[in-house]
Amino acid sequence: MWYNEYGDETMTRKYTFTEEDLKIIIEARKKNKDKRVEVRLHALQLRAEGKRAKEIEEIVGMSAPYVSQLAAKYFAGGIEAIAGNHYGGNRRNMSVEEEEAILKPFYERAEKGEIIEVSEIKQAYQEKVDHEISSGQIYYVLHRHGWRTIMPRSRHPKKAKPEEIEASKKLTET
């Protein structure tokens, strides 16, 4: 039972941390390298040490209800629920090897000196994944495989201006 400042009984805590829980949390903090996870683990450690959610809110900077949610997550799923990577990554439609297989014919054409348009690659990619994708995704794929955008110049930078060309024509006519 917990008591307020006047010695009256208050609500009991729903989750009670043991010394073993505190050791697990401290060990996880030592191994952790992610800043976002560090904040969650720090809040959980303070909660395991007996601090109230409002106190933790002031120390760590996260809301008191979220501190309670962290404790609930810890007791439901263990330290992995707090310290694990919650963001899946690799949300690609296909593996790197499959992307290479799609890009291979375009690479061969580029080696021969042909101009390759992104719209062609996009079309081949869409046929493979069988759904619509954005052009931005194709640029990510190309960047991942070391491609870069090279555009032919519309005109040579040292080409004479039209007025200079006309003036030189007049000089040669006389």
Side-chain angles (χ1 to χ4, degrees):
M1 208 32 99
W2 292 90
Y3 299 94
N4 64 13
E5 58 198 63
Y6 305 108
D8 301 328
E9 284 187 19
T10 60
M11 246 174 66
T12 59
R13 290 190 178 193
K14 189 172 182 179
Y15 302 106
T16 307
F17 289 88
T18 63
E19 287 297 318
E20 184 63 32
D21 291 329
L22 184 58
K23 288 178 185 176
I24 291 170
I25 295 166
I26 291 171
E27 191 61 35
R29 279 189 76 187
K30 288 178 183 176
K31 293 179 182 176
N32 177 47
K33 294 181 182 177
D34 187 355
K35 291 179 185 178
R36 294 178 295 186
V37 173
E38 174 60 26
V39 174
R40 292 193 301 261
L41 288 172
H42 186 209
L44 194 63
Q45 180 182 349
L46 292 172
R47 185 77 164 86
E49 291 171 351
K51 301 254 190 241
R52 295 186 161 267
K54 284 287 185 188
E55 295 173 298
I56 298 169
E57 177 180 29
E58 293 171 8
I59 295 169
V60 178
M62 62 176 51
S63 68
Y66 186 64
V67 172
S68 299
Q69 286 177 8
L70 283 175
K73 283 182 183 179
Y74 174 76
F75 283 103
I79 197 70
E80 187 60 34
I82 306 299
N85 184 3
H86 301 277
Y87 307 103
N90 190 7
R91 302 206 189 287
R92 300 181 200 131
N93 293 309
M94 59 183 73
S95 69
V96 176
E97 292 79 22
E98 291 173 322
E99 289 174 352
E100 285 176 359
I102 288 177
L103 293 176
K104 187 175 182 178
F106 294 104
Y107 184 76
E108 291 168 357
R109 286 178 44 200
E111 285 290 314
K112 293 177 186 174
E114 292 183 35
I115 295 176
I116 310 295
E117 292 185 12
V118 174
S119 59
E120 299 173 45
I121 300 172
K122 179 181 175 183
Q123 186 177 3
Y125 195 93
Q126 284 178 346
E127 288 172 5
K128 178 76 173 175
V129 297
D130 200 31
H131 62 83
E132 193 75 21
I133 57 166
S134 68
S135 296
Q137 186 171 352
I138 293 299
Y139 285 105
Y140 283 125
V141 169
L142 293 174
H143 178 73
R144 190 167 33 250
H145 292 277
W147 288 49
R148 58 195 180 105
T149 306
I150 300 175
M151 293 184 62
R153 293 186 283 212
S154 58
R155 66 184 224 33
H156 196 279
K158 292 185 179 178
K159 180 179 178 182
K161 295 178 183 161
E163 300 87 33
E164 294 172 351
I165 294 171
E166 285 300 316
S168 67
K169 286 182 183 176
K170 290 179 183 175
L171 289 175
T172 56
E173 289 177 0
T174 54

